[in-house]
Amino acid sequence: EVQLVESGGGFVQPGGSLRLSCAASGFTFSTYAMSWVRQAPGKGPEWVSAINGGGTSTYYADSVKGRFTISRDNSKNTLYLQMNSLRADDTAVYYCSKTPTLTPDYWGQGTLVTVSS
Amino acid sequence: DIQMTQSPSSLSASVGDRVTITCRASQGISDYLAWFQQKPGKAPKSLIYGASTLQSGVPSKFSGTGSGTDFTLTISSLQPEDFATYYCQQYNSYPITFGQGTRLEIK
């Protein structure tokens, strides 16, 4: 059974940093692209970033480019999202997803990031 | 960026009804179109990819059609568990973009 479990969310002040993690199980992690999608309160989903199976290619939404870094540790079956220079409009639930065809087939339960002073 | 526009934004229907939701892309995306269902406080659930291919475990009451710029999601014989918000998503090119959602409510 595929499981994706996010962690690392929390409350942070503007300009601060957080690192999200997503522990994956139930599939051969290294062979699948993975993505982060976020959802601000009361809004629709917004794609944030994606990474290929080997970790050699990464993609970002313009809204986070230069501030967020996606990475993965295939030896630990874990996906990461390093978030720097956080702003109030980064407040959202962040979901990791398994994306075999650039679109998710499985989603985690999400982790809430709140950016506020 | 490719803009995805869903219609209607909200829809009221009764148990047993058949409903159709439309998604239009601002430029051609071939069949790189997915549909998701989301219930309040829950993660999205993947329903369809490739415009018409059901994800594993998704019942055949859900069906998708379309190619290019115009796509539809049809849900037949609505049951109480089907009342949720539905989103389309294009993955033809980065940045990947979602529609604004269609809220399906019980009449």
Side-chain angles (χ1 to χ4, degrees):
Chain A
E1 178 193 6
V2 172
Q3 287 199 317
L4 300 169
V5 180
E6 300 96 335
S7 60
F11 186 94
V12 61
Q13 292 188 329
S17 298
L18 279 177
R19 188 176 83 155
L20 306 183
S21 299
C22 172
S25 61
F27 63 101
T28 306
F29 181 69
S30 62
T31 64
Y32 289 97
M34 300 290 292
S35 299
W36 289 98
V37 175
R38 68 184 181 184
Q39 190 167 26
K43 303 294 186 182
E46 178 191 14
W47 174 80
V48 173
S49 184
I51 187 168
N52 69 345
T56 56
S57 296
T58 57
Y59 309 86
Y60 297 95
D62 284 346
S63 58
V64 307
K65 198 173 295 182
R67 300 188 299 123
F68 290 11
T69 302
I70 191 171
S71 63
R72 63 193 297 159
D73 186 336
N74 287 343
S75 69
K76 296 182 178 179
N77 289 351
T78 302
L79 176 72
Y80 301 102
L81 186 67
Q82 177 67 44
M83 305 186 296
N84 299 331
S85 303
L86 282 161
R87 312 186 302 220
D89 63 358
D90 294 318
T91 294
V93 175
Y94 285 73
Y95 297 101
C96 80
S97 61
K98 175 174 168 280
T99 51
T101 54
L102 298 185
T103 186
D105 58 358
Y106 289 94
W107 300 68
Q109 85 289 348
T111 187
L112 176 62
V113 172
T114 304
V115 184
S116 176
S117 55
Chain B
D1 299 2
I2 298 174
Q3 307 302 316
M4 305 300 293
T5 304
Q6 289 181 232
S7 60
S9 296
S10 64
L11 176 60
S12 293
S14 300
V15 172
D17 284 353
R18 172 187 170 108
V19 298
T20 296
I21 299 168
T22 296
C23 179
R24 175 165 288 176
S26 61
Q27 62 190 75
I29 60 170
S30 186
D31 63 351
Y32 295 105
L33 190 284
W35 290 97
F36 304 93
Q37 176 194 67
Q38 189 175 32
K39 298 180 180 178
K42 300 295 187 181
K45 175 185 177 181
S46 300
L47 298 177
I48 287 172
Y49 67 98
S52 61
T53 303
L54 293 179
Q55 292 281 2
S56 175
V58 173
S60 59
K61 64 186 304 179
F62 294 94
S63 62
T65 64
S67 183
T69 60
D70 294 314
F71 303 86
T72 62
L73 171 69
T74 299
I75 313 168
S76 62
S77 187
L78 283 170
Q79 296 302 305
E81 61 268 23
D82 300 327
F83 292 91
T85 300
Y86 292 84
Y87 296 96
C88 64
Q89 179 212 48
Q90 71 79 21
Y91 55 101
N92 179 74
S93 61
Y94 289 112
I96 293 168
T97 47
F98 289 83
Q100 83 281 10
T102 295
R103 185 176 178 181
L104 176 57
E105 301 174 317
I106 298 178
K107 186 182 290 183

